[in-house]
């Protein structure tokens, strides 16, 4: 049975529901290249491949899954995938193909964007980089490339090569990739921040329409809006923020879609990035709880950061810039269940306090015995995001990441709210 996911919207041509079965891969490709076709996607975290092998993914609920990551290197002639990732990648692609799902690979990411700038800086480097990526795609029989440059003309993790010409060079690179015989047939997407790519003046570009000619879609990474670096506890992935006090408006799905469309990016090529995880904060009980309820935007104890999933107070990691830091405090949705914050149905456990913020449309859970508060997403917040995607007629959703959900509680919720059916 051929799998086709489509949107239950009047604008979707009737033919989609009764698509003549073609070869599996042709179908997903022809549908995905049509602007009215929905994207139901997630990123696959290859470093969790032992815990979550490719065959365990809920393939039938996705149109595409993106393998994360291939890192940029100082040489445009090479990208870097670690040895475990190289073993996993062919298995990942085989699983995707057997489920008629598009297999993409994402280039860059927070730790892997260091050399985008130099790799696209000159015509000669762009040509080499195009060749590197088309060879990668051909070797592993991938269906597409996803570019997660965090971020053009910004230092990102802290040590990225950067130039005022980054966004312009990125566009030239994408255009060259599209002219390549291999590149012309690929799905090409990008993951971007809540404001348009930074232009040569250091400000978000006012016209990013040319990117839409080369990209199938852009996934807006509307998460990590608040976290350990913030002044107070706020929503990791707010749907809206215009309903919050002015100083608390730090970006949201609503503001991101507004910013990108104001910069002339077509709304039907925008995919909403959604978070199957949350950030934890240490909040004293007298600040967290007011009148027996969780107070909005409480201050928190900055240091030490409370440990997240799989972390202890002593956890230390050294990043690609050589900077060593402690726990991140991040929990996947599944990790919140395992750690006892949530029950197996994804609701706050009986010994927790909780609050659903009706502006950001996201939940908080607080453990009064450990003074840990978590800002995260649940079935209700994913449903709100799905309704937003449907109402705005965005292209779909992309979940960070495929191993974060628990029993597909989040995935099923957003799929139902968008109105995606399999037929
Ligand atoms: C082009 O790539 C080479 C590595 O092959 C690098 O040394 C050089 O700096 C790059 N050019 C620019 C202008 O960044
Ligand atoms: C981007 O480039 C401009 C122009 O050189 C510069 O003023 C700006 O600071 C750069 N952006 C960042 C985040 O540094
Ligand atoms: C949130 O709830 C409060 C109290 O019920 C209400 O006054 C307010 O209008 C709601 N805001 C939004 C954005 O729904």
């Amino acid at each position: 049975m051929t799998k086709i996911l489509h949107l239950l919207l009047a604008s979707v041509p009737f033919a989609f529901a009764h698509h003549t079965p073609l070869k599996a891969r042709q179908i997903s490709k022809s549908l995905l290249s049509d602007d009215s076709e929905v994207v139901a996607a997630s990123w696959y975290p290859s470093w969790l491949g032992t815990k979550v092998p490719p065959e365990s993914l809920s393939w039938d609920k996705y149109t595409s899954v993106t393998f994360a990551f291939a890192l940029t290197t100082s040489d445009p002639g090479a990208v870097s995938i670690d040895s475990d990732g190289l073993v996993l990648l062919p298995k990942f692609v085989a699983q995707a193909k057997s489920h008629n799902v598009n297999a993409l690979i994402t280039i860059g990411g927070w730790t892997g964007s260091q050399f985008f700038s130099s790799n696209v800086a000159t015509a000669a480097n762009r040509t080499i980089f195009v060749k590197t990526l088309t060879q990668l795609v051909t070797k592993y029989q991938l269906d597409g490339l996803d570019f997660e440059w965090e971020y053009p003309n910004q230092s990102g993790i802290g040590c990225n090569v950067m130039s005022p010409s980054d966004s312009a060079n990125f566009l030239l690179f994408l255009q060259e990739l599209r002219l390549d015989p291999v590149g012309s047939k690929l799905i090409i997407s990008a993951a971007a921040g809540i404001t348009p790519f930074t232009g040569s003046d250091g400000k978000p570009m006012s016209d990013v329409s040319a990117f839409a000619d080369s990209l199938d879609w852009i996934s807006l990474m509307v998460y990590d809006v608040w976290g350990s670096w913030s002044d107070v506890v706020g929503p990791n992935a707010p749907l809206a923020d215009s309903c919050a006090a002015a100083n608390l408006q730090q970006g949201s799905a609503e503001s991101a879609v507004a910013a990108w469309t104001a910069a002339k990016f077509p709304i039907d090529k925008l995919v909403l990035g959604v978070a199957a995880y949350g950030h934890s904060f240490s909040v004293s009980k007298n600040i967290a709880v007011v009148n027996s309820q969780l107070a909005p935007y409480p201050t928190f104890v900055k240091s030490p950061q409370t440990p997240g999933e799989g972390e202890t107070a002593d956890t230390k990691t050294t990043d690609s810039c050589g900077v060593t830091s402690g726990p991140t405090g991040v929990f996947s949705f599944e990790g919140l269940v395992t750690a006892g914050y949530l029950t197996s149905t994804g609701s706050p456990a009986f010994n927790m306090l909780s609050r659903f913020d009706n502006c950001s449309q996201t939940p908080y859970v607080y453990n009064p015995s450990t003074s840990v508060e978590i800002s995260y997403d649940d079935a209700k917040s994913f449903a709100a995001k799905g309704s937003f995607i449907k109402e705005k007629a965005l292209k779909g959703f992309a979940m960070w990441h495929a191993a974060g959900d628990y029993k597909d509680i989040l995935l099923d919720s957003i799929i139902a709210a968008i109105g995606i059916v399999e037929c």
Side-chain angles (χ1 to χ4, degrees):
M1 177 65 196
T2 305
K3 185 174 76 76
I4 306 172
L5 298 176
H6 75 104
L7 261 184
L8 279 182
L9 286 177
S11 63
V12 175
F14 181 70
F16 281 154
H18 300 275
H19 207 284
T20 317
L22 303 167
K23 266 184 71 195
R25 285 186 58 215
Q26 287 174 317
I27 285 187
S28 355
K29 279 206 173 157
S30 64
L31 289 180
L32 282 166
S33 63
D34 185 295
D35 281 351
S36 59
E37 184 52 30
V38 70
V39 167
S42 68
W43 284 276
Y44 179 69
S46 64
W47 59 95
L48 297 178
T50 310
K51 186 182 165 208
V52 187
E55 59 272 23
S56 71
L57 297 193
S58 296
W59 290 101
D60 293 339
K61 298 176 183 178
Y62 295 118
T63 56
S64 64
V65 180
T66 305
F67 187 94
F69 287 98
L71 314 183
T72 61
T73 73
S74 60
D75 177 3
V79 290
S80 161
I81 302 172
D82 65 28
S83 52
D84 291 344
L86 285 175
V87 173
L88 209 53
L89 185 51
K91 297 178 182 169
F92 167 84
V93 174
Q95 282 294 315
K97 285 195 194 310
S98 73
H99 292 277
N100 190 22
V101 171
N102 291 303
L104 281 67
I105 189 164
T106 191
I107 315 296
W110 184 246
T111 58
S113 294
Q114 207 176 336
F115 300 103
F116 266 121
S117 181
S118 48
N119 288 350
V120 301
T122 62
N125 282 10
R126 288 191 288 274
T127 300
I128 297 169
F129 200 38
V130 164
K131 191 164 214 150
T132 303
L133 297 178
T134 52
Q135 282 174 349
L136 175 76
V137 157
T138 304
K139 178 170 180 187
Y140 290 99
Q141 294 181 276
L142 290 153
D143 299 296
L145 290 165
D146 179 54
F147 292 95
E148 196 168 327
W149 183 347
E150 301 184 33
Y151 300 92
N153 194 23
Q154 293 188 24
S155 59
I157 190 169
C159 60
N160 290 358
V161 179
M162 57 184 267
S163 147
S165 308
D166 281 349
S167 293
N169 291 339
F170 185 27
L171 179 60
L172 290 173
F173 162 76
L174 292 172
Q175 289 167 339
E176 183 168 340
L177 179 60
R178 274 303 189 204
L179 289 176
D180 180 275
V182 174
S184 66
K185 298 193 196 78
L186 296 176
I187 297 167
I188 303 180
S189 61
I194 54 182
T195 52
F197 299 126
T198 305
S200 56
D201 57 359
K203 299 199 181 90
M205 293 173 69
S206 57
D207 186 347
V208 287
S209 56
F211 284 90
D213 298 334
S214 297
L215 294 170
D216 289 280
W217 69 80
I218 282 181
S219 305
L220 300 178
M221 299 185 285
V222 189
Y223 33 71
D224 301 328
V225 176
W226 298 76
S228 53
W229 53 90
S230 303
D231 293 334
V232 295
V233 176
N236 176 43
L239 176 58
D241 65 344
S242 57
C243 34
N247 63 320
L248 301 174
Q249 296 181 15
Q250 309 230 336
S252 64
E254 245 174 29
S255 76
V257 168
W260 280 87
T261 53
K264 304 187 174 70
F265 197 85
I267 197 161
D268 59 3
K269 283 193 168 189
L270 286 178
V271 163
L272 182 61
V274 292
Y277 70 93
H279 286 281
S280 63
F281 304 83
S282 173
V283 186
S284 323
K285 201 171 165 192
N286 63 324
I287 291 172
V289 187
V290 176
N291 297 331
S292 316
Q293 291 190 325
L294 288 188
Y297 298 98
T299 53
F300 64 97
V301 181
K302 284 257 180 186
S303 184
Q305 165 68 45
T306 177
E309 182 179 358
E311 294 178 334
T312 68
D314 299 327
T315 295
K316 289 217 181 335
T317 48
T318 301
D319 71 18
S320 50
C321 302
V323 176
T324 300
S325 46
T328 63
V330 170
F331 283 89
S332 70
F333 184 70
E334 185 200 31
L336 292 175
V337 175
T338 309
Y341 290 96
L342 306 179
T343 68
S344 60
T345 60
S347 308
F350 77 96
N351 50 343
M352 302 289 154
L353 292 170
S354 62
R355 178 174 95 85
F356 194 88
D357 178 55
N358 70 350
C359 177
S360 66
Q361 292 283 315
T362 59
Y364 295 84
V365 63
Y366 182 69
N367 185 342
S369 61
T370 58
S371 302
V372 174
E373 178 155 350
I374 294 167
S375 159
Y376 66 109
D377 268 84
D378 64 2
K380 187 175 172 185
S381 68
F382 262 51
K385 289 179 168 97
S387 300
F388 173 79
I389 289 165
K390 182 176 181 177
E391 180 197 315
K392 294 272 184 188
L394 303 187
K395 194 169 179 66
F397 72 89
M399 183 169 76
W400 181 267
H401 51 53
D405 203 350
Y406 182 73
K407 292 186 177 164
D408 289 348
I409 288 173
L410 303 178
L411 188 55
D412 289 344
S413 178
I414 196 165
I415 283 173
I418 297 173
I420 298 172
V421 294
E422 198 183 320
C423 53

